[in-house]
Amino acid sequence: QVLLVESGGGLVQAGGSLRLSCAASRRTFSTYSMGWFRQAPGKEREFVSGINWSGTSTYYADSVKGRFTISRDNAKNAVYLQMNSLKPDDTAVYYCAASSTGVVRTSKAEYDYWGRGTQVTVSS
């Protein structure tokens, strides 16, 4: 079991920045690949970004490429999402997820554990 807790969400104006954090409970966190997903009202949960177990490989959805940066600190059992140049379309609940595959995955089905989410609201 891996417990994931997101933090760092909030209300920000368009063009602003936020940094999301996800704290994991398990010592074997370093063996999991991690992902960030988001879900806007009335929409499906979508992939935002992923990082492999070692932090050497990352992947981004086209909609956030060049604006968001994912990183991890295995010593702290944490993964981060730095979000810059935020747009109103980025408004959603952001979820952290862990995959036992260890490699970057974009499909929700390949993630084993999920956090409860943190709200990000971008005003225009």
Side-chain angles (χ1 to χ4, degrees):
Q1 182 80 8
V2 178
L3 296 179
L4 302 172
V5 180
E6 302 94 337
S7 61
L11 173 64
V12 64
Q13 287 190 327
S17 299
L18 283 174
R19 188 190 193 214
L20 304 184
S21 299
C22 174
S25 64
R26 193 166 177 175
R27 280 194 210 172
T28 54
F29 167 80
S30 63
T31 66
Y32 288 79
S33 52
M34 301 296 295
W36 286 98
F37 289 76
R38 66 187 182 186
Q39 187 166 17
K43 294 189 176 181
E44 293 284 323
R45 191 173 298 188
E46 64 175 4
F47 172 82
V48 174
S49 181
I51 189 166
N52 71 337
W53 68 274
S54 63
T56 56
S57 178
T58 59
Y59 191 77
Y60 298 92
D62 287 343
S63 58
V64 306
K65 203 172 293 182
R67 300 187 298 121
F68 290 11
T69 303
I70 191 171
S71 62
R72 67 188 297 160
D73 186 339
N74 287 343
K76 296 183 178 180
N77 283 6
V79 64
Y80 308 99
L81 187 68
Q82 177 66 43
M83 305 187 296
N84 298 329
S85 302
L86 283 161
K87 305 174 182 179
D89 283 350
D90 295 318
T91 295
V93 177
Y94 283 71
Y95 297 90
C96 169
S99 172
S100 59
T101 65
V103 297
V104 177
R105 288 288 182 257
T106 61
S107 169
K108 297 188 295 292
E110 296 191 273
Y111 285 84
D112 305 287
Y113 303 102
W114 293 82
R116 303 183 98 172
T118 185
Q119 176 71 47
V120 171
T121 303
V122 184
S123 63
S124 57

